[in-house]
């Protein structure tokens, strides 16, 4: 879900995508390439040189852009080997408003603006191909230890308690292959466990147990 540039060994830098999704013809003898992505804070540095084997249709790379900024990317080609697609197998988004960040084994992912949401491409894991790996959740701007959790299986949301006492739900959804050139990507969503609606004609104030913050809902509002 981001703009990307690809630089082939021996070639000038070429724009891979001028929109969130796009295509670029690569030289037939292309064996090594570099990538850089446009994030919320601008373009990354060029990645390390990546190489794929001509006889492999699917390969997973741990692409590093800085000491703590890396992302898992998969290069997948059709059976004829003519159409390579670079994609991130796992995306993360926080819909709670808590500003949750993800880390995998000490590595941060890369965040992008996608429509009206912020999407993070997940960092790589030690064992490529894992679908239920562990990762850490931290809340931006709050001095609390990270919470370790696992990627939920499809159709089986899991509850997670974020400090000091925020109750949330993690859910994994498939992203339509029609939007990703036929490859399989998954979106991990952090959702509020409870949503309150004020359908009365008066303001209502409430305070969650364990929190000092008092929330006031005007008539017709929800949180």
């Amino acid at each position: 879900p981001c703009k990307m540039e690809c630089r082939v060994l021996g070639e000038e830098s070429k724009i891979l995508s001028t929109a969130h999704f796009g295509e670029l013809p690569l030289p037939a003898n292309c064996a090594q390439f570099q990538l850089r992505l446009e994030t919320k804070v601008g373009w990354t540095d060029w990645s390390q040189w990546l190489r794929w084997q001509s006889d492999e249709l699917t390969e997973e790379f741990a692409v590093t852009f800085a000491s703590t900024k890396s992302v898992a990317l998969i290069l997948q080609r059709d059976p004829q080997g003519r159409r390579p697609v670079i994609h991130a197998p796992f995306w993360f988004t926080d819909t709670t408003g808590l500003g949750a960040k993800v880390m995998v084994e000490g590595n941060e992912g890369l965040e992008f603006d996608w429509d009206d949401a912020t999407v993070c491409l997940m960092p790589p894991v030690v064992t490529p191909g894992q679908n239920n790996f562990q990762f850490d959740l931290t809340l931006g701007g709050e001095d609390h230890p990270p919470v370790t959790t696992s990627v939920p299986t499809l159709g089986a949301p899991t509850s997670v308690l974020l400090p000091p006492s925020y109750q949330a739900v993690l859910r994994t959804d498939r992203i339509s292959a029609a939007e990703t050139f036929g490859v399989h990507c998954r979106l991990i969503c952090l959702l509020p466990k409870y949503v309150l609606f004020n359908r009365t004609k008066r303001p209502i104030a409430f305070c969650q147990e364990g929190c000092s913050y008092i929330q006031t809902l005007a008539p017709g509002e929800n949180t």
Side-chain angles (χ1 to χ4, degrees):
C2 61
K3 294 181 181 179
M4 178 185 294
E5 285 189 348
C6 177
R7 183 162 66 183
V8 179
L9 186 63
E11 299 281 343
E12 294 182 357
S13 172
K14 296 181 179 180
I15 300 293
L16 179 65
S17 176
T18 54
H20 285 129
F21 300 96
E23 295 184 272
L24 171 73
L26 294 178
N29 59 351
C30 173
Q32 294 188 66
F33 61 97
Q34 288 178 300
L35 300 174
R36 68 175 183 171
L37 310 176
E38 187 180 34
T39 69
K40 290 186 64 175
V41 295
W43 287 91
T44 66
D45 295 329
W46 286 105
S47 70
Q48 78 274 30
W49 283 103
L50 305 170
R51 178 192 296 270
W52 69 71
Q53 304 298 324
S54 59
D55 57 345
E56 296 289 341
L57 294 181
T58 301
E59 294 183 66
E60 184 166 343
F61 301 96
V63 182
T64 303
F65 300 99
S67 58
T68 60
K69 295 289 186 179
S70 58
V71 66
L73 294 180
I74 291 178
L75 185 139
Q76 184 171 318
R77 286 184 277 190
D78 58 20
Q80 290 76 33
R82 298 177 180 175
R83 189 190 194 191
V85 179
I86 298 172
H87 66 285
F90 288 96
W91 310 358
F92 173 84
T93 187
D94 172 24
T95 65
T96 65
L98 297 175
K101 308 290 184 182
V102 294
M103 294 190 70
V104 179
E105 298 164 355
N107 293 317
E108 301 176 17
L110 294 173
E111 292 187 336
F112 307 88
D113 289 323
W114 189 32
D115 293 335
D116 295 328
T118 296
V119 174
C120 174
L121 302 187
M122 298 288 281
V125 295
V126 172
T127 305
Q130 286 183 306
N131 290 330
N132 300 100
F133 56 88
Q134 289 188 329
F135 63 95
D136 292 330
L137 284 173
T138 59
L139 298 185
E142 297 195 24
D143 187 17
H144 295 296
V147 174
T148 300
T149 184
S150 298
V151 176
T153 57
L154 288 168
T158 59
S159 297
V160 58
L161 182 63
L162 300 173
S165 55
Y166 297 115
Q167 298 190 53
V169 173
L170 276 173
R171 187 182 71 194
T172 301
D173 297 314
R174 283 193 182 96
I175 300 173
S176 171
E179 299 290 337
T180 57
F181 295 102
V183 298
H184 298 290
C185 302
R186 298 184 180 186
L187 178 65
I188 305 168
C189 299
L190 183 67
L191 309 163
K193 190 171 185 178
Y194 302 105
V195 179
L196 298 180
F197 297 84
N198 182 3
R199 294 295 181 259
T200 70
K201 296 182 180 180
R202 296 182 179 181
I204 295 178
F206 69 93
C207 181
Q208 182 177 327
E209 182 180 2
C211 295
S212 58
Y213 177 70
I214 298 176
Q215 175 76 45
T216 301
L217 290 181
E221 285 188 339
N222 62 273
T223 186

